[in-house]
């Protein structure tokens, strides 16, 4: 018997400028964010930016086509100019963690997913879920990168 809460898992292939770069399985939501975040976390962007991401679904596989281009000078910051936020106060951190776990429970009541979030030290900015913990983190990074 299949639960109506079962977490869907799909095979994906990420191509960068038409070359096969990464593949794996993922939950099928936030695919643009997954592609952008994977490019960032794997160091593919290094001085480049995401120009476009197209999603094509074929049979049981999702193909993500990413195009990258050199970044303009105004699109990059040197490491010393990046913000270094302070950790949130303990009670604020506890509330953010409660919110994070609630999001996972609401989106997937039966469990089976990893939940990741990005915060600014005061509130959660992006929350993503995925069957893979690295994918959840990549989706959060990508969501922030694409805004």
């Amino acid at each position: 018997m299949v639960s109506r809460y079962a977490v869907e898992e799909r095979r994906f292939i990420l191509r960068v400028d038409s070359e096969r770069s990464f593949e794996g399985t993922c939950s099928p939501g936030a695919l643009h964010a997954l592609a952008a975040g994977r490019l960032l976390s794997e160091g593919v962007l290094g001085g480049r930016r995401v120009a476009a991401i197209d999603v094509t679904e074929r049979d049981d596989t999702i193909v993500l086509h990413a195009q990258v281009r050199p970044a303009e000078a105004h699109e990059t910051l040197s490491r010393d100019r990046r913000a270094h936020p302070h950790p949130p106060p303990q009670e604020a951190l506890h509330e953010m963690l409660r919110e994070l776990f609630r999001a996972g429970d609401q989106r997937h009541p039966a469990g089976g997913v990893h939940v990741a979030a990005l915060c600014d030290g005061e509130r959660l900015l992006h929350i993503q879920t995925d069957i893979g913990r690295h994918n959840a983190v990549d989706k959060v990074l990508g969501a922030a990168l694409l805004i």
Side-chain angles (χ1 to χ4, degrees), residues 27-77:
S27 300
L31 296 170
H32 290 84
L34 173 63
R38 181 63 51 95
L39 297 175
L40 180 65
S41 69
E42 292 290 337
V44 173
L45 293 180
R48 300 187 295 173
R49 65 176 178 82
V50 176
I53 299 171
D54 295 313
V55 177
T56 305
E57 296 194 37
R58 299 184 314 198
D59 300 323
D60 65 341
T61 303
I62 299 167
V63 182
L64 307 167
H65 303 270
Q67 295 177 359
V68 295
R69 299 289 177 259
E72 302 291 328
H74 69 276
E75 295 174 313
T76 61
L77 289 175

Side-chain angles (χ1 to χ4, degrees), residues 1-124:
M1 176 183 207
V2 177
S3 167
R4 67 184 184 126
Y5 297 114
V7 179
E8 186 178 357
E9 180 175 3
R10 301 278 304 274
R11 182 171 178 265
F12 79 91
I13 299 170
L14 173 56
R15 296 180 184 276
V16 181
D17 291 331
S18 300
E19 293 184 24
R20 186 183 205 131
S21 297
F22 304 99
E23 60 183 273
T25 60
C26 68
S27 300
L31 296 170
H32 290 84
L34 173 63
R38 181 63 51 95
L39 297 175
L40 180 65
S41 69
E42 292 290 337
V44 173
L45 293 180
R48 300 187 295 173
R49 65 176 178 82
V50 176
I53 299 171
D54 295 313
V55 177
T56 305
E57 296 194 37
R58 299 184 314 198
D59 300 323
D60 65 341
T61 303
I62 299 167
V63 182
L64 307 167
H65 303 270
Q67 295 177 359
V68 295
R69 299 289 177 259
E72 302 291 328
H74 69 276
E75 295 174 313
T76 61
L77 289 175
S78 65
R79 281 185 190 258
D80 57 320
R81 290 183 54 202
R82 292 185 185 150
H84 298 284
H86 298 285
Q90 189 171 6
E91 185 51 41
L93 178 61
H94 288 182
E95 181 51 40
M96 284 188 274
L97 289 172
R98 285 190 286 272
E99 182 182 347
L100 181 69
F101 290 118
R102 275 193 307 270
D105 291 343
Q106 290 169 351
R107 294 176 188 184
H108 301 283
V113 296
H114 296 277
V115 184
L118 182 68
C119 81
D120 64 1
E122 296 176 15
R123 66 188 191 289
L124 297 180

